[in-house]
């Protein structure tokens, strides 16, 4: 898998296209498209990795993503997206975060019970 394909896959999992990833990484909107023909410098790749919530090593393909870490990155990206779309202030953002944590704990408990044959 090429670097651009990995970036597309990570972006898709986070609801972002290449243009959005580039812009959020401080690049021109079409910068990533050119990486099929040349490799950007490490600082640029680190900026993209940070935008995507993955390590530099995972982004360049030297390490496989940790499934739990990948899921956490996706949930974090979803949270940031909702906060941005809803234009929530800090107090409401904190409330939303707490509600998400409570919901995830309840769902995890139910799934654990189901897994153990109690549900």
């Amino acid at each position: 898998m090429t670097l651009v394909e990995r970036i597309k896959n990570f972006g898709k999992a986070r609801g972002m296209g290449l243009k959005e990833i580039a812009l959020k990484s401080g690049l021109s909107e079409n910068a990533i498209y050119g990486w099929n023909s040349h490799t950007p410098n490490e600082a640029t790749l680190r900026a993209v990795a940070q935008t995507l919530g993955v390590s530099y090593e995972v982004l360049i393909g030297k390490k496989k993503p940790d499934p739990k870490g990948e899921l956490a990155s996706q949930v974090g990206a979803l949270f940031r997206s909702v906060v941005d779309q809803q234009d929530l202030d800090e107090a409401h953002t904190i409330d939303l975060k707490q509600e998400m944590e409570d919901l995830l704990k309840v769902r995890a408990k139910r799934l654990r019970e189901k897994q153990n044959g109690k549900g």
Side-chain angles (χ1 to χ4, degrees), residues 14 24 71-101 104:
R14 289 154 179 78
K24 286 185 175 189
L71 179 59
S73 293
Q74 290 174 11
V75 170
L78 174 62
F79 179 79
R80 285 188 300 277
S81 173
V82 169
V83 169
D84 289 346
Q85 289 173 6
Q86 300 301 320
D87 195 28
L88 297 177
D89 62 22
E90 185 176 351
H92 289 98
T93 298
I94 292 169
D95 287 346
L96 178 63
K97 179 180 179 276
Q98 186 60 55
E99 288 183 26
M100 281 182 61
E101 288 175 1
L104 288 171

Side-chain angles (χ1 to χ4, degrees), residues 9-112:
N9 288 341
F10 285 125
K12 184 177 180 182
R14 289 154 179 78
M16 291 189 282
L18 291 180
K19 287 183 180 185
E20 184 179 358
I21 296 166
L23 292 172
K24 286 185 175 189
S25 301
L27 308 170
S28 69
E29 68 179 31
N30 294 315
I32 297 172
Y33 293 102
W35 296 353
N36 284 316
S37 59
H38 74 279
T39 303
N41 64 42
E42 183 177 332
T44 300
L45 289 172
R46 287 191 183 277
V48 170
Q50 183 175 2
T51 297
L52 293 170
V54 299
S55 72
Y56 168 76
E57 291 78 15
V58 168
L59 182 69
I60 65 171
K62 288 199 175 192
K63 282 177 67 177
K64 293 191 183 256
D66 169 43
K68 288 183 181 179
E70 180 63 16
L71 179 59
S73 293
Q74 290 174 11
V75 170
L78 174 62
F79 179 79
R80 285 188 300 277
S81 173
V82 169
V83 169
D84 289 346
Q85 289 173 6
Q86 300 301 320
D87 195 28
L88 297 177
D89 62 22
E90 185 176 351
H92 289 98
T93 298
I94 292 169
D95 287 346
L96 178 63
K97 179 180 179 276
Q98 186 60 55
E99 288 183 26
M100 281 182 61
E101 288 175 1
D102 293 345
L103 176 65
L104 288 171
K105 286 176 185 175
V106 168
R107 288 296 298 144
K109 181 181 177 188
R110 286 183 188 158
L111 291 171
R112 194 172 40 256

